[in-house]
Amino acid sequence: MERRLIVGKATQRKKWSRRLKVLAAALLTVGCLQVPVYAAEGDGQMIRVAMFANLGSTYKSTTPLITLESSGKWNIGSESGASITLPAGQIRFSADGFRVKVLETADFKTAAAASKLLQATSDKPLLFTTSLNGKSTYQLYTGNYATEALAGQAVARVQKVAAAQLGGQKPAVTGSKRLSAGVYSSLQEAEAAQASLSSAGVTSYTVLQLDGGSQGYAVWVGEASSDADLSAFKKNVEASVPGVILSPVNSNSAALIIRQDAGLSTDTLKTAPHYTIAGSEAKAFVQGDGSGIKVVERSGRTYRGDMEISIVSGDLALVNVVPLEQYLYSVVGAEVYSSWPAEALKVQAVAARSYALQQGDRFKIANVVDTTLSQAYNGMGSENDKVSSAVDATSGEVIKSDGKIVEAVFSSNAGGQTAHPSEVWNGGVGVFSNVDSPGDTSAQAGLQTWYHVLLSTGVSGYIREDNVKELTTKTDAGLAKVTVTAQNTNVRPVPLIQSNVDPVAKMNPGNEAVVLAKVPQSNDYAWVRGPFTSAQLVKTLQGKTTSAVPSSISTLEVTKRGPSGRALEVTANGKPMTVKYADTYRSALGGLPSTLFDIAGTGSYTVLGADGKTASKTGSQGAAVLSASGTGTSSSNALVVMSGDGQARAVTQGQSFMIIGQGNGHGLGLSQWGAKGMADEGYDYQAILKHYYQNVTIVKE
């Protein structure tokens, strides 16, 4: 890794506190990306984790507001050395741009009521408070909008929603064209000048300048959307405030416009400092007191390290800059269970470290993102002492092949055998290949058994074992019968309780059902999904395949498999439903856990004749049945068919599809449950890693 050191004045370094060094920042280069080091000396390598950013097709997660919270003092500053020290509490950030100014009022309740109405719309509200003419005033905006035209279109929508609170005021478009009323060497001087303008009725803002060549503070006025509006505003201010000198602000000036946010609550007045980032190249850094920084818009999670806030493609971007090893405390805790054996935790630590370091500048402003697009990263809430010990025990260790760090991809469960690269991304062999993963079955330990049953109505489904009572009677074919132990016992479509899915039927004590099979509860190793109707499959396949999707589906089957048994081709009505990458079948078929699956049509079955030929049959009625009394035809709603090995299933009227599979995830590389199973058997972390990644060494960087 290349390291570069930029040296600056010691006095300016002190302004940014002992930890945050802006003029004397060490830069860690990962790939082509230079990563500022804000943490204390000795914290080691840093990693940049994008939480919010508009990076187009690479990654897009946006928010109009970023709300941060610290339990202690914190700093906001820039690479130029400008900084602000704040007390504990919340602060907010937004991006400068086109907005709609909805109303201005001295009544908080009126502004809050309008804000509450707008929260439920696409025109998200921003509520500020300021002092004008010596009185508290509340200013409500919506936006941002990408263009002035879009902001203009929002005016009518906003006016309609908040009509009752406007009191004759007309919403208007505002922009980022502003005037400077002076530059000051201290925040106190700028605040005094700003207060003077406010007392004259001019909305003005104290500004922290972020440009390297224009350190210090300024006072800005105006929020015009055009040069003509700005010129008219300038004349009005100069007429009302004699002696004021106003000059246009360069549109590229990087700055933080300091305002007071009053929108934290619509029930009671609650305020916080609000910083609007101006300038496309503007970048601000937030450093906490070491106890973590909470990001309200990221599920209120608290993160180690520091935060970098900027504007990317017109939207707010938030990047967590954190020591790599501390990042791993959270990642490993989020990716696997802390109760797992220490060796399995070490496996995850080394794999996650290798993956992170191999990413380089993949996300332009960051190395990784905080979702499973990279690795799960939930902040300090997913940390655990046992996990942290595993990270510390493997500190700096990475997986290498041919002298390069491996992109150590992993998935939850390989379903008994890991995937071959050709089954996931059409790649070749090398580090990744299909290997046995018997430890995957550890995902089933302690789970309950479910009974797959057929009701007299012809409906089939699943009942959990603790709700079942086996009967002594059997069917003529020798299949067991059961009843249930409680009123209104749910019969589930799959062997899993799904609170958002209705049961297929209910049973009461005394009702009998035929047992088709006993299966484990759907889990990361073995699972069942469905039943899917033709209409459901047609809908989910749309846009996911490179071939035409039929208007209805009567047959669906896997017709080609890869080395590990994963689906490489699925045909509908005998025609291939081709996809760009084989792993896409997971999303194409309704979000399946893996591509290691079989498909069963509930309304069809195959018969092997005495002549050795097979024939496909559909429907439960009209089937030829051979019994002790001779040959007849089936007239029931469901027909039970049995395979040569004694496996039974129900054939129903009408075709739908059940998908039965194994594994969870793409299956390439490390299987997390497989590692857990191997650790249970006594393997150490290096042996486990070398089992799942071929031709590699484990080295300490």
Side-chain angles (χ1 to χ4, degrees):
M1 294 294 178
E2 177 185 348
R3 292 179 180 272
R4 295 174 57 199
L5 188 65
I6 299 176
V7 181
K9 296 180 181 179
T11 54
Q12 290 174 316
R13 292 167 62 187
K14 291 178 180 177
K15 289 175 63 178
W16 189 231
S17 85
R18 183 178 65 85
R19 280 186 67 226
L20 187 55
K21 301 172 177 64
V22 286
L23 289 182
L27 295 180
L28 170 66
T29 301
V30 181
C32 299
L33 184 68
Q34 293 182 334
V35 183
V37 177
Y38 310 126
E41 295 177 6
D43 277 337
Q45 292 180 323
M46 308 296 290
I47 190 166
R48 295 171 60 87
V49 188
M51 296 181 177
F52 293 109
N54 181 359
L55 303 177
S57 60
T58 305
Y59 177 75
K60 188 171 184 179
S61 176
T62 60
T63 178
L65 286 171
I66 292 174
T67 309
L68 306 180
E69 184 176 325
S70 174
S71 60
K73 287 184 179 180
W74 46 355
N75 295 310
I76 302 175
S78 73
E79 290 174 330
S80 69
S83 67
I84 299 173
T85 300
L86 297 166
Q90 288 187 332
I91 55 176
R92 269 187 164 177
F93 291 85
S94 62
D96 200 17
F98 293 107
R99 293 190 176 124
V100 173
K101 188 173 183 179
V102 182
L103 62 84
E104 185 172 282
T105 177
D107 183 13
F108 170 72
K109 290 184 178 180
T110 297
S115 179
K116 192 171 186 177
L117 290 170
L118 289 164
Q119 280 178 350
T121 72
S122 60
D123 299 294
K124 297 304 179 184
L126 275 172
L127 182 58
F128 297 112
T129 181
T130 188
S131 177
L132 286 176
N133 296 313
K135 296 181 179 180
S136 293
T137 303
Y138 302 94
Q139 300 167 327
L140 179 63
Y141 297 78
T142 60
N144 286 355
Y145 303 97
T147 65
E148 184 178 4
L150 290 174
Q153 294 171 18
V155 169
R157 298 194 302 267
V158 168
Q159 190 165 12
K160 183 177 180 180
V161 171
Q165 285 75 34
L166 293 181
Q169 296 187 56
K170 293 183 178 181
V173 176
T174 66
S176 56
K177 293 183 179 293
R178 308 182 193 276
L179 300 167
S180 174
V183 177
Y184 304 88
S185 60
S186 71
L187 178 60
Q188 291 74 19
E189 289 177 315
E191 288 176 336
Q194 186 266 334
S196 178
L197 286 167
S198 295
S199 65
V202 178
T203 298
S204 53
Y205 326 99
T206 303
V207 173
L208 173 64
Q209 298 187 117
L210 302 177
D211 289 332
S214 56
Q215 296 179 31
Y217 302 88
V219 174
W220 288 0
V221 297
E223 49 187 8
S225 59
S226 68
D227 290 334
D229 287 345
L230 186 66
S231 179
F233 176 77
K234 182 175 183 290
K235 290 180 181 179
N236 289 335
V237 174
E238 289 174 339
S240 59
V241 186
V244 67
I245 299 175
L246 302 176
S247 59
V249 174
N250 189 312
S251 60
N252 294 322
S253 294
L256 288 180
I257 301 171
I258 306 171
R259 304 186 73 169
Q260 196 71 8
D261 197 300
L264 299 177
S265 171
T266 56
D267 298 321
T268 58
L269 178 58
K270 185 179 178 183
T271 64
H274 187 117
Y275 302 92
T276 299
I277 302 180
S280 59
E281 300 299 320
K283 191 179 295 183
F285 307 108
V286 180
Q287 176 210 359
D289 66 345
S291 61
I293 297 175
K294 180 186 289 186
V295 183
V296 173
E297 287 76 19
R298 222 48 169 171
S299 302
R301 295 170 181 152
T302 300
Y303 299 87
R304 293 177 181 269
D306 305 304
M307 298 292 174
E308 176 188 290
I309 304 173
S310 61
I311 299 176
V312 176
S313 301
D315 289 307
L316 281 175
L318 179 67
V319 174
N320 182 202
V321 184
V322 60
L324 174 63
E325 299 300 307
Q326 294 181 14
Y327 162 77
L328 293 174
Y329 292 162
S330 174
V331 168
V332 177
E335 286 285 354
V336 297
Y337 296 101
S338 61
S339 60
W340 282 8
E343 295 305 300
L345 301 181
K346 292 176 185 177
V347 166
Q348 186 64 49
V350 176
R353 183 182 294 110
S354 302
Y355 179 89
L357 288 175
Q358 199 276 339
Q359 296 305 293
D361 58 352
R362 179 182 175 188
F363 295 96
K364 299 177 183 178
I365 63 170
N367 311 113
V368 293
V369 297
D370 68 334
T371 71
T372 52
L373 183 60
S374 294
Q375 302 181 112
Y377 175 57
N378 300 331
M380 297 171 70
S382 61
E383 293 181 11
N384 176 277
D385 288 345
K386 189 177 176 184
V387 168
S388 298
S389 295
V391 173
D392 292 342
T394 62
S395 178
E397 291 186 19
V398 294
I399 308 166
K400 279 192 168 185
S401 178
D402 294 330
K404 298 179 181 179
I405 297 177
V406 170
E407 186 179 23
V409 295
F410 50 83
S411 62
S412 177
N413 194 299
Q417 189 170 90
T418 64
H420 187 275
S422 64
E423 298 172 306
V424 181
W425 55 32
N426 301 337
V429 297
V431 171
F432 305 106
S433 188
N434 56 301
V435 299
D436 289 338
S437 185
D440 290 328
T441 57
S442 61
Q444 296 187 124
L447 297 180
Q448 291 182 302
T449 297
W450 288 64
Y451 284 71
H452 187 196
V453 299
L454 175 65
L455 308 185
S456 60
T457 58
V459 173
S460 64
Y462 297 84
I463 308 174
R464 202 171 63 189
E465 63 177 333
D466 55 347
N467 295 315
V468 171
K469 178 182 178 182
E470 293 196 26
L471 303 175
T472 56
T473 56
K474 295 181 181 294
T475 67
D476 291 339
L479 297 176
K481 292 184 177 181
V482 296
T483 187
V484 293
T485 57
Q487 291 289 120
N488 294 318
T489 296
N490 289 322
V491 182
R492 302 283 182 179
V494 299
L496 183 68
I497 295 176
Q498 299 169 295
S499 59
N500 60 335
V501 178
D502 292 332
V504 295
K506 290 182 181 289
M507 282 185 67
N508 294 311
N511 299 150
E512 294 185 2
V514 176
V515 178
L516 300 173
K518 293 181 183 180
V519 300
Q521 179 172 300
S522 280
N523 58 83
D524 282 344
Y525 175 70
W527 47 267
V528 179
R529 294 292 186 271
F532 298 110
T533 65
S534 168
Q536 288 173 322
L537 288 171
V538 168
K539 183 178 181 180
T540 190
L541 282 166
Q542 295 291 343
K544 306 288 178 55
T545 67
T546 56
S547 57
V549 178
S551 58
S552 64
I553 296 174
S554 58
T555 63
L556 189 72
E557 58 184 330
V558 178
T559 48
K560 188 182 295 183
R561 297 183 183 276
S564 76
R566 285 169 168 78
L568 293 181
E569 181 183 84
V570 175
T571 61
N573 303 342
K575 294 184 178 180
M577 295 290 97
T578 56
V579 292
K580 185 176 182 180
Y581 298 108
D583 196 57
T584 308
Y585 280 122
R586 285 199 286 159
S587 59
L589 293 172
L592 301 180
S594 79
T595 57
L596 187 59
F597 60 78
D598 289 306
I599 304 171
T602 63
S604 60
Y605 58 99
T606 301
V607 175
L608 176 64
D611 57 0
K613 296 181 179 180
T614 60
S616 295
K617 304 289 184 178
T618 59
S620 61
Q621 297 184 1
V625 178
L626 180 65
S627 66
S629 60
T631 302
T633 57
S634 169
S635 60
S636 65
N637 291 326
L639 174 70
V640 176
V641 295
M642 298 184 70
S643 63
D645 58 2
Q647 297 296 311
R649 71 180 182 88
V651 179
T652 61
Q653 286 295 105
Q655 181 76 300
S656 60
F657 302 91
M658 299 296 292
I659 303 181
I660 303 96
Q662 291 178 206
N664 188 355
H666 51 66
L668 197 65
L670 171 68
S671 169
Q672 293 168 320
W673 277 104
K676 190 264 184 187
M678 290 184 71
D680 285 338
E681 294 180 6
Y683 289 92
D684 69 21
Y685 74 99
Q686 293 210 12
I688 298 171
L689 287 167
K690 290 176 181 178
H691 173 74
Y692 285 105
Y693 302 106
Q694 308 297 297
N695 307 311
V696 300
T697 56
I698 314 299
V699 300
K700 189 178 183 71
E701 286 286 277

